[in-house]
Amino acid sequence: MRDVLLTDDALHHLEYRAERVRLLKERPLHEPPAELPMALDRFREDFTDLIRACRERGLPVLVLTQPCLYSADMPPELSYYIGWTAKDGAYPPDVLERIIDEFNRVALEVCAAEQVDSLDLAAMVSKDLTTFCDDFHFNISGNEKTAEIVADYFVKRARSL
């Protein structure tokens, strides 16, 4: 077998994922953090301020929700690609999905209240390795799918003018 040279970054990711596996066994966190409602309120405020700042500057806004690999029915082999831990343990995929879903829900609510265009990208892409290379980052196919969704949005919008 050939030796493989791993970069410091690749080694860090391997160590981080091994730590997550250990924490999931020893200290699984089955509920979102208690601070989540406060974090969502802050996100709502900051996100609203950002949209209003763009509007004041005459900048158009299109908001995309954040897709991720997390799901309650995630196959165990995909959990390897999750890197997220907490200071006091690790969240299983179903809890991580609930957390991200809450932030996406708030983002869509702010868009509706501020009358800003949005695309629920999280609902439009597959939660598997055809889209993601880890828990949040797209692979080439995921980037292409996202570009196609956004391009279709702009084509439809241009046709309606």
Side-chain angles (χ1 to χ4, degrees):
M1 186 170 164
R2 207 167 67 136
D3 287 334
V4 176
L5 178 62
L6 295 175
T7 65
D8 287 343
D9 192 47
L11 287 171
H12 170 74
H13 284 289
L14 289 173
E15 292 166 358
Y16 199 70
R17 287 186 174 129
E19 176 67 1
R20 177 178 163 68
V21 168
R22 184 186 70 74
L23 287 171
L24 271 175
K25 288 179 184 172
E26 294 175 10
R27 291 181 286 172
L29 303 170
H30 295 291
E31 292 298 324
E35 304 84 13
L36 182 61
M38 187 171 47
L40 291 167
D41 288 343
R42 177 67 188 262
F43 175 67
R44 180 184 304 277
E45 283 179 35
D46 291 347
F47 196 57
T48 301
D49 289 347
L50 176 64
I51 289 171
R52 290 177 180 170
C54 289
R55 185 176 286 133
E56 287 170 8
R57 290 164 178 78
L59 300 172
V61 177
L62 171 63
V63 172
L64 308 178
T65 57
Q66 175 64 60
C68 63
L69 191 59
Y70 315 135
S71 71
D73 59 350
M74 175 183 253
E77 62 273 10
L78 288 184
S79 348
Y80 167 77
Y81 295 92
I82 299 175
W84 195 5
T85 60
K87 65 181 176 197
D88 51 348
Y91 295 101
D94 63 311
V95 178
L96 294 172
E97 179 184 38
R98 287 173 28 209
I99 293 168
I100 297 304
D101 285 352
E102 283 298 303
F103 279 95
N104 284 338
R105 179 188 58 77
V106 169
L108 293 172
E109 286 175 0
V110 169
C111 289
E114 293 295 319
Q115 298 179 340
V116 169
D117 289 348
S118 63
L119 291 173
D120 190 2
L121 189 62
M124 298 175 170
V125 299
S126 303
K127 292 184 172 219
D128 57 35
L129 296 180
T130 65
T131 305
F132 295 95
C133 62
D134 63 15
D135 44 356
F136 273 104
H137 299 95
F138 292 133
N139 57 25
I140 292 171
S141 173
N143 284 318
E144 289 171 344
K145 178 67 175 168
T146 300
E148 182 181 305
I149 290 168
V150 173
D152 286 348
Y153 162 82
F154 283 115
V155 167
K156 288 176 187 167
R157 188 159 189 247
R159 286 183 180 152
S160 69
L161 296 177

